[in-house]
Each structure stands twice: as C-alpha cells, then as structure tokens.
C-alpha cells in the first residue's frame, strides 16, 4: 500500500568536510530501530561467510532465472468496458451501447475483446477482436498493462472503449505494481434494450364478464354434437359425418370428420381447427377486401354461442353447412340445466336406398353367341361368360359323333354326308364333311365348334340342342340348314346305355334299334368261326392284295360306301363280286370263297 519510496539524506558537510552519516528514517519515512548496522556492513554480512582455518567459504550459486511467460502463465487482467455504436438506419434508436470484456494476457502482452452473446439480438457477437498485441500509436508502440486503468477511454482501431471496472485479481496486481486505480464506474445499458424490456401499458378495459372466471368454471367441459356435412352439389361430393366440439372455456369451435375404413379419403382428423367462428358480420364497405387473413372483433357483430346449437338445426361454419342430428349425454344435461330443453330426439340421417331401375336388355343382334353378347350390356369391360368347370373336367374328350345327310332341293347336295360331333364338355356342335374325290366339293370343316339353338327359341331365352334330341332319322336345323341323322358311332350307344337315367327312353331305344341288325349279323358271322381262324384269314387276304400292283385301298373302300346306299355297312354277295371284278381281284380263288 506504499505510495512514497524516497530515502533519507545520508551525505552532509560539517566544517567544510563531506561525511556520511546513518539515516534517521527508513525508506518512505519508516521508523528505524536503534543499533542498526550500516548498509555496507549489512552487505558484507550477506556476502561473506565464516572464515575457516584452511580458507574462505565459497559463495552460494545465484537463484534460477524465471522467464516472464512462465511467471505470468495463465494470468489475465480482465476489464469491463463498453463502446457506443451509431445506428443511422433506424427511427427508434440513434446509437447502441454494446458491453464487452477486455482481456490482457501478462505472459505475452496480448489483448482480446469479447462481447457476450445475446439471444435473438440480430448482431454478430462473440469475439470482436482476436488475441494479439495491439498497437498504441503510429510510432510502433504497443499497449502495456501500465497503460490500463479504470475510468479511462482506450482507443483501439478507431473504436473507443470505456473501461469502467475490473476483477479482483486485476485490482490486486495493479496495486502491487504501484498503480493507483481510479474508482469504478457504473456499466451503462443500451437504452433501446431497456425500452423493450419495460412492460407495455395495456389499455384499461371497462368492467365486464370475467374471462378467467369462465375459464375456471368451464375448463375441460366440451359440448359434443354429431352432424352431417352434405356437399353432394359439388363434383364427387358425399355426406360426411362429423363431430362438432364447442369448448365452453373460451367459446371456440372445432370440427372433426369421422373416417371409416377404406372410405377413400385422406385420414386427417381435423376439418376445422379450434377457433372462434363468426355468425353475423358487420356491414362492410365496398372497398373492404372480401378475403382477409384474420377476422377481428370489429368485423364481426355476433359470434357462435351454445344457444345457436340444437338437434335438427343447421349451422354454417366458414361456408359449410352442417345438420346436427344428435349430441352426447353431457351436452343434453348442460342444455337441460341452462336452457330448460328436454327434447333430444335424434334425427334419422340414414340414406334411403335408391330404387334400382330395371335393366333393359337390348335384342340379340346375331353376332356371336347370346351369352357372350350379353356381357356387353352388363359391364363396361365385358368378361367372358362363366363356364362349368366341373362339367368340363368330367366330360373332357367325350364326343358323340353322328353321320348326317343334308336336306336340300339341289340334287348335288343330296348325296353329301357329314360328321356331326357333339362335345359333352361345353354342349357345342361341330360339323365336318369328309372330302370325296371328283365330287366338285372340297369338303373339310363345315361348321366350327359352337352352340346351336333349337328352332323356335328366342334370343332372350335360347334353348340349345342336347344329346337327347339326336335320334336316328331326326332332323337337326343348324342356322337354316337341315340335317337328317342317318348313323351314329358305337360310342354313342355305349354312353347312352351307361347314363340311361339321364336321357329319354325313346332316344336310347332309337340308337339300340339302329345297331340291332348290325349286331345280329356280326354275331352270326362270328358264331361258327373261331376268332383265331378269322384273324389268320384276314392276314392271308392282306398278303394276297399286296401282291396285286397297283391296288388302291382307299378307292376300294369308297366303292363299298358308294354301293351301300342305305349306310348299313353290309353288301350282298353279288355286289361284292362285282366290286372285286372292277378292281381286278380274282373271284375264283379258294381264299375268296373262304371270305
């Protein structure tokens, strides 16, 4: 705490002679004790030791040197400061006070300035000046800790910092170095920031209903109404079931849409967020915009209240009309206690089933089968008619074949023979004409596989041919062409006999009567001859015919069918011998007589 460091006078003159005397006071005026040695004597005592018999004691080594960067490591002087910054572009403030901290590092005489960050200040705060040695003037001098004190202005790079205070370590260090600190000053605050922190004076509202009392009374109490929003007038509109929540605490309304599974709508729950909804608007001026972002109390004459809601009543919220058809039990109790309403009969809003208009099927146009053409009337994208899969699997590859003759006034068509195939898997008919050489008719497929309707059936109720309709001698009309059944395959007889319960007895008997003569002849021919001898006879005939060159077996068979006018499959002996003579087959051989 010393401030005076002068020494007392020890040199003097007496009778014209200079001499030295002991000081009467110590350094700075301190009191000296009696019998004190002189300074020279003290110096001798400090440097000299005890003298031994064999010589003088050596002087001790001087203390180790400690550099400044070690002695002052991590020792920093900290000053609180501020500077004033002009704000030329704002009408609310002309200058800004920014508080900073100035740090002086004793180890290398460097300085840095840091401004504390303030949230949402809009300023670039933090480290305003990096750590380095700061120049003091243009002569190349740098700032030293001796130049720092409280209550001074410190110009740095064109900006003046006012040092107003320091921490305890800085104060002790500067006073230990003999620097007298100025009294600390008060840190000035930013006037605009203080203005923002002052509470805004709210206008005095005249006494009225206390909103806090309403909030405390009706908190967590909500009126629930069930309503229907009908927007069928719009494109793709529908009836939307909704729930209207009226919050009694603050008179706000919320509308939620009730979603069903797979209803095809976006699953957002809130149709209208919780808000106060206007009921009656004040008369607007012509120049007032029709679309506003927010509706204030000045534009609304009346808001929605609980008295505006009732079962069977319609309410309009922001252009949407809702029909209230029911409410929950709490809402009924609220209206019963406050308004005295006792009728809470819900309104039936279920959709009435629409009367289905009868579908008129247009007449059959003749293209394709009626079932396939009917699909164009039942669906926009027609599907093929359904097939009886069980029937197709059970009757797969089962075909009834008949030989038919064409009834025609043309003489050339009378001798034409056809094979009519009836497919049991899908009740379709196909007609094939075997080609005959030199007949002038190519033959081949006469009718592709299709269903054939009976004469007299209508396109609305078609009746198709069945196996029970095919008897020997019956007529089959196929698309205007009449065919007479003259023969049948043996498989037809076997199939009808196995399934006799599914066909009329007349049909089965007709096929049996047709095959009876043939069966009798076969039985008679094979009754007296063993089967082995018959097979041996056939082999010998085949060998004999192969020796006859050339021999056309196909023409031989066609000749037999040609002479068999009735189609019975048998010829008498005379005709048989005539055919053999025509094809140069010897008729006098023993082999022919065996045949």
């Amino acid at each position: 705490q010393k401030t005076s460091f002068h020494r007392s006078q020890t040199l003097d003159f007496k009778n014209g002679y200079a001499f030295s005397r002991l000081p009467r006071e110590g350094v700075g005026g301190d009191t000296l004790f009696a019998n004190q040695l002189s300074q020279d004597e003290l110096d001798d005592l400090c440097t000299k030791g005890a003298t031994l018999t064999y010589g003088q004691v050596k002087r001790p080594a001087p203390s180790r040197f400690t550099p400044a960067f070690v002695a002052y490591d991590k020792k920093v002087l900290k000053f609180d400061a501020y500077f004033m910054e002009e704000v030329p572009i704002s009408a609310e403030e002309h200058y800004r006070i920014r508080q900073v901290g100035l740090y002086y590092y004793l180890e290398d005489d460097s300085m840095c300035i840091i401004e504390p960050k303030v949230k949402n200040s809009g300023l670039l705060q933090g480290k305003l000046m990096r750590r380095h040695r700061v120049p003091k003037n243009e002569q190349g001098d740098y700032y030293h800790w001796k130049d720092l004190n409280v209550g001074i202005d410190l110009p740095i790079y064109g900006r003046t910092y006012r040092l107003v205070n320091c921490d305890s370590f800085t104060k002790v260090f500067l006073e230990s170095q003999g620097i007298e600190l100025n009294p600390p000053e008060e840190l000035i605050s930013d006037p605009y920031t203080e203005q923002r922190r002052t509470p805004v004076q709210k206008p005095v509202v005249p006494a009225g209903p206390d909103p806090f009392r309403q909030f405390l009374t009706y908190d967590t109490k909500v009126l629930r109404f069930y309503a229907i929003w009908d927007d069928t007038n719009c494109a793709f509109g529908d009836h939307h079931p909704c729930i209207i929540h009226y919050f009694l605490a603050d008179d706000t309304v919320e509308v939620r849409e009730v979603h069903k599974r797979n209803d095809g709508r976006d699953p957002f729950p809130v149709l209208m967020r919780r808000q106060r909804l206007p009921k009656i608007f004040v008369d607007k001026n012509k120049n007032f915009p029709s679309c506003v972002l927010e509706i204030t109390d000045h534009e609304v004459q009346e808001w929605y209240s609980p008295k505006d809601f009732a079962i069977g009543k319609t309410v309009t919220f922001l252009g949407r009309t809702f029909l209230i058809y029911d409410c929950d039990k709490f809402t009924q109790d609220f209206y019963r206690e406050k308004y005295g309403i006792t009728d809470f009969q819900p309104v039936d809003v279920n959709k009435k089933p629409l009367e289905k208009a009868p579908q008129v099927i247009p007449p059959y146009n003749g293209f394709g089968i009626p079932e396939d053409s009917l699909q164009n009337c039942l669906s926009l994208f027609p599907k093929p008619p359904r097939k009886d899969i069980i029937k197709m699997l059970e009757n797969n590859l089962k075909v009834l074949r008949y030989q038919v003759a064409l009834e025609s006034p043309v003489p050339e068509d009378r001798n034409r023979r056809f094979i009519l195939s009836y497919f049991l898997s899908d009740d379709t008919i196909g007609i094939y004409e075997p080609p005959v050489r030199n007949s002038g008719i190519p033959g081949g497929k006469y009718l592709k596989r299709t269903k054939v309707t009976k004469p007299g059936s209508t396109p609305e109720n078609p009746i198709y041919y069945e196996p029970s309709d095919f008897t020997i001698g019956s007529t089959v009309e196929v698309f205007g062409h009449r065919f007479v059944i003259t023969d049948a395959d043996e498989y037809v007889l076997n199939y009808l006999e196995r399934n006799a319960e599914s066909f009329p007895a007349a049909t089965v008997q007709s096929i049996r009567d047709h095959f009876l003569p043939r069966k009798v002849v076969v039985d008679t021919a094979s009754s007296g001859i063993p089967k082995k001898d018959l097979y041996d006879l056939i082999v010998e005939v085949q060998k004999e015919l192969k020796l006859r060159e050339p021999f056309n077996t196909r023409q031989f068979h066609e000749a037999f069918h040609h002479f068999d006018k009735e189609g019975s499959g048998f010829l008498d002996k005379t005709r048989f011998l005539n055919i053999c003579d025509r094809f140069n087959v010897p008729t006098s051989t023993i082999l022919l007589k065996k045949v």
Side-chain angles (χ1 to χ4, degrees):
Q1 307 295 326
K2 274 188 176 183
T3 57
S4 176
F5 298 94
H6 64 275
R7 300 177 63 181
S8 61
Q9 182 70 26
T10 58
L11 300 177
D12 198 0
F13 285 88
K14 190 175 182 180
N15 299 325
Y17 293 93
F19 71 99
S20 63
R21 57 181 175 84
L22 295 176
R24 297 185 180 92
E25 295 178 351
V27 178
D30 294 342
T31 304
L32 294 177
F33 297 97
N35 300 326
Q36 189 175 9
L37 298 177
S38 63
Q39 187 66 31
D40 296 335
E41 293 174 346
L42 292 176
D43 294 338
D44 293 340
L45 291 176
C46 292
T47 56
K48 292 182 180 181
T51 305
L52 300 179
T53 56
Y54 49 82
Q56 190 177 2
V57 179
K58 296 181 179 180
R59 291 187 178 184
S63 60
R64 295 184 61 185
F65 171 74
T66 303
F69 66 86
V70 176
Y72 295 117
D73 183 29
K74 298 182 181 178
K75 294 184 179 180
V76 183
L77 306 182
K78 195 260 183 181
F79 293 89
D80 296 331
Y82 69 88
F83 68 93
M84 186 174 62
E85 183 181 30
E86 293 185 359
V87 183
I89 60 175
S90 177
E92 298 181 359
E93 55 177 344
H94 302 287
Y95 65 93
R96 185 182 296 120
I97 300 297
R98 299 178 64 175
Q99 301 174 0
V100 298
L102 187 145
Y103 297 87
Y104 185 93
Y105 298 87
L106 295 173
E107 58 178 330
D108 57 355
D109 297 330
S110 60
M111 298 171 59
C112 73
I113 300 176
I114 298 177
E115 180 181 8
K117 290 186 178 181
V118 179
K119 193 175 183 179
N120 297 328
S121 65
L123 302 176
L124 295 177
Q125 297 174 327
K127 184 176 289 188
L128 300 183
M129 185 182 74
R130 65 178 179 84
R131 177 180 172 182
H132 66 289
R133 296 187 66 188
V134 181
K136 181 179 179 180
N137 49 37
E138 297 180 356
Q139 285 74 23
D141 299 332
Y142 294 95
Y143 277 110
H144 195 260
W145 54 266
K146 297 179 182 179
D147 302 323
L148 304 179
N149 202 338
V150 177
I152 65 172
D153 293 333
L154 191 67
I156 298 176
Y157 295 124
R159 181 180 289 173
T160 303
Y161 295 90
R162 180 71 177 180
L163 307 183
V164 296
N165 204 350
C166 64
D167 59 357
S168 59
F169 173 77
T170 305
K171 185 176 180 181
V172 171
F173 177 79
L174 293 179
E175 288 180 350
S176 66
Q177 299 299 326
I179 298 178
E180 185 177 357
L181 291 177
N182 299 327
E185 300 178 359
E186 184 179 358
L187 189 62
I188 300 177
S189 301
D190 184 27
Y192 180 72
T193 305
E194 295 296 328
Q195 179 185 354
R196 293 290 301 270
R197 291 177 180 174
T198 55
V200 180
Q201 297 294 334
K202 297 183 180 180
V204 179
V205 181
D210 189 3
F212 296 101
R213 179 181 180 85
Q214 179 183 359
F215 173 78
L216 295 176
T217 305
Y218 295 108
D219 187 25
T220 69
K221 295 182 179 180
V222 182
L223 304 181
R224 175 179 291 182
F225 301 92
Y226 302 98
I228 286 290
W229 170 36
D230 184 8
D231 66 335
T232 53
N233 296 331
C234 302
F236 311 105
D238 197 1
H239 292 84
H240 303 268
C242 302
I243 296 178
I244 301 175
H245 291 155
Y246 187 92
F247 297 87
L248 296 173
D250 53 358
D251 297 327
T252 55
V253 181
E254 179 190 57
V255 181
R256 288 177 170 266
E257 186 176 0
V258 178
H259 291 279
K260 297 180 181 179
R261 194 172 186 180
N262 298 328
D263 58 357
R265 299 188 182 95
D266 294 333
F268 60 89
V270 179
L271 182 64
M272 293 185 186
R273 64 174 179 85
R274 181 177 174 181
Q275 58 183 315
R276 293 185 68 190
L277 294 176
K279 181 181 178 183
I280 301 175
F281 287 92
V282 179
D283 295 336
K284 300 177 183 178
N285 299 327
K286 294 182 179 180
N287 56 357
F288 186 82
S290 60
C291 179
V292 293
L293 297 178
E294 296 181 358
I295 300 176
T296 61
D297 295 337
H298 301 287
E299 290 122 12
V300 180
Q301 183 177 351
E302 183 180 356
W303 302 87
Y304 272 102
S305 60
K307 65 181 180 180
D308 300 320
F309 297 87
I311 296 178
K313 192 175 181 180
T314 59
V315 291
T316 302
F317 298 151
L318 303 180
R320 295 180 175 88
T321 303
F322 298 86
L323 172 63
I324 301 175
Y325 66 88
D326 199 1
C327 61
D328 62 353
K329 187 177 183 303
F330 172 76
T331 307
Q332 296 178 7
D333 297 339
F334 176 81
Y335 277 89
R336 188 181 295 108
E337 295 175 2
K338 189 167 185 177
Y339 297 102
I341 300 175
T342 58
D343 185 14
F344 299 102
Q345 184 66 26
V347 179
D348 187 13
V349 293
N350 295 327
K351 295 181 181 179
K352 296 181 180 179
L354 300 177
E355 296 182 0
K356 189 175 182 180
Q359 187 177 11
V360 180
I361 304 300
Y364 176 61
N365 56 6
F367 293 95
I369 60 176
E371 289 82 359
D372 195 11
S373 299
L374 181 62
Q375 299 300 320
N376 296 279
C377 306
L378 301 179
S379 175
L380 183 62
F381 299 98
K383 300 179 181 179
R386 288 189 175 183
K387 297 180 181 180
D388 191 350
I389 303 299
I390 303 299
K391 183 178 180 181
M392 293 177 63
L393 295 176
E394 291 178 351
N395 300 310
N396 187 27
L397 302 179
K398 293 183 180 180
V399 183
L400 304 181
R401 292 181 175 85
Y402 302 89
Q403 182 178 2
V404 296
L406 179 63
E407 283 189 1
S408 176
V410 182
E412 290 78 4
D413 294 339
R414 294 175 183 175
N415 295 328
R416 296 174 65 180
R417 294 296 181 265
F418 300 87
I419 304 299
L420 187 145
S421 301
Y422 186 90
F423 298 88
L424 295 172
S425 60
D426 54 358
D427 299 331
T428 55
I429 294 177
I431 300 177
Y432 175 80
E433 182 180 8
V436 180
R437 290 188 66 180
N438 300 326
S439 64
I441 300 174
K445 184 184 292 186
Y446 187 80
L447 175 68
K448 72 174 183 178
R449 186 173 172 179
T450 183
K451 286 187 176 182
V452 180
T453 58
K454 293 182 180 181
S457 62
T458 60
E460 292 78 13
N461 297 314
I463 302 175
Y464 298 102
Y465 277 106
E466 298 178 354
S468 59
D469 299 324
F470 300 137
T471 60
I472 302 299
S474 63
T475 303
V476 181
E477 185 174 346
V478 180
F479 302 119
H481 299 273
R482 297 171 62 87
F483 294 90
V484 179
I485 299 177
T486 59
D487 196 2
D489 197 354
E490 289 187 7
Y491 178 76
V492 177
L493 178 61
N494 298 334
Y495 180 80
L496 294 180
E497 289 180 348
R498 287 196 305 268
N499 304 277
E501 66 279 358
S502 302
F503 300 98
T507 303
V508 180
Q509 190 62 37
S510 173
I511 301 299
R512 285 175 179 171
D513 295 342
H514 177 70
F515 280 93
L516 183 59
R518 188 181 308 177
K519 186 177 181 181
V520 172
V521 172
V522 172
D523 294 342
T524 304
S526 60
S527 60
I529 303 175
K531 291 186 177 181
K532 186 176 182 307
D533 297 342
L534 182 60
Y535 293 154
D536 295 341
L537 179 61
I538 293 175
V539 172
E540 294 180 5
V541 171
Q542 290 178 349
K543 290 181 179 180
E544 184 67 25
L545 292 178
K546 288 181 179 180
L547 298 176
R548 304 288 177 175
E549 294 294 343
F551 183 78
N552 194 336
T553 307
R554 182 178 179 183
Q555 294 180 359
F556 196 59
H557 288 179
E558 291 177 357
F560 278 123
H561 286 289
H562 178 72
F563 285 100
D564 185 11
K565 303 294 184 182
E566 300 176 357
S568 61
F570 296 92
L571 294 176
D572 55 7
K573 186 176 181 181
T574 305
R575 292 186 178 181
F576 175 71
L577 295 177
N578 293 335
I579 295 174
C580 291
D581 292 339
R582 179 179 300 182
F583 286 90
N584 298 324
V585 177
T587 57
S588 61
T589 60
I590 300 174
L591 184 60
L592 183 59
K593 291 180 181 180
K594 291 182 180 181
V595 174

